[in-house]
Amino acid sequence: MEQDILAQPMADDDLDNAKRRQILDGARLVFLAHGFDAASMGEIARAAGVSKGTLYVYFASKHDLFESLVRNQCRLTAERLFTLDADNHDVADALRRLGLSFLEAMLEPSHVSTVRMVIGAADRQPEIGRLFLASGPRAGWARLAAWLRAKVEHGELVIEDVDIAAQQFLTMLNGSVMLPVLLGGEAPPPRERLVYVIDRAVAMFLAAYGVKP
């Protein structure tokens, strides 16, 4: 029975998804090496190991391919983030857990390379920058803000503007850890350093927004 299952061919949807991932992986290499403007569909097809005709079956243009790459990365990153439990009344613990999942996702090589590509393309393709901002940072801020709003309603935090508070918390983490990797080419810091940065950010956040005795 097991051999029969293993021998079954992939469904058409699975084949399509695998081919799309193959193309996106090749496109990432080309865009990162040459930038959006200099990259060609021919180079992307060669890097992905597909024909140019196959490439155009899945993506109508270089812009469409780049946009799909950004959307896909934002989706993958979002899946790792914001495991916020509304029933967890230990706010500090919940923020620490969020902080660790957030930083680990931000430091993923695929995410770092995507941010670099978006920065390189945003000047001439501002809609790509807007797409990344909406699908990435702003989506994250909104999800954290919703959780903070619930905590305020339950009397566990005191925050006048939860949108600003959400941005402040994630920016404290991102600025301390992500920028040296993104702009300075430094290696991601060890887990112990991440935990230290997160603990300091949580302490500062609760000093500003925690319920005072």
Side-chain angles (χ1 to χ4, degrees), residues 158-186:
V158 180
I159 305 174
E160 292 184 8
D161 191 327
V162 294
D163 296 311
I164 291 296
Q167 294 174 33
Q168 288 171 334
F169 181 69
L170 295 179
T171 301
M172 278 194 290
L173 299 175
N174 207 28
S176 300
V177 174
M178 179 66 170
L179 290 182
V181 176
L182 178 66
L183 303 178
E186 296 182 8

Side-chain angles (χ1 to χ4, degrees), residues 1-11 14-15:
M1 180 66 176
E2 182 178 353
Q3 290 180 342
D4 291 341
I5 294 174
L6 293 175
Q8 290 177 356
M10 294 176 66
D14 292 335
L15 286 171

Side-chain angles (χ1 to χ4, degrees), residues 83-117:
T83 53
L84 288 166
D85 184 359
D87 296 326
N88 184 354
H89 298 289
D90 186 339
V91 175
D93 177 68
L95 289 174
R96 289 190 192 98
R97 290 174 181 270
L98 167 63
L100 187 57
S101 67
F102 174 73
L103 287 182
E104 288 178 341
M106 293 298 99
L107 293 171
E108 279 287 325
S110 61
H111 180 264
V112 174
S113 66
T114 298
V115 175
R116 287 174 176 155
M117 288 187 293

Side-chain angles (χ1 to χ4, degrees), residues 29-74:
L29 295 175
V30 175
F31 284 132
L32 188 59
H34 303 291
F36 178 83
D37 290 335
S40 72
M41 292 294 268
E43 289 174 311
I44 292 171
R46 285 192 293 273
V50 300
S51 69
K52 203 169 178 180
T54 297
L55 180 59
Y56 279 108
V57 168
Y58 288 89
F59 300 99
S61 66
K62 184 172 68 170
H63 185 279
D64 180 40
L65 176 53
F66 192 77
E67 183 175 307
S68 296
L69 183 63
V70 172
R71 287 185 186 277
N72 186 64
Q73 184 59 48
C74 288

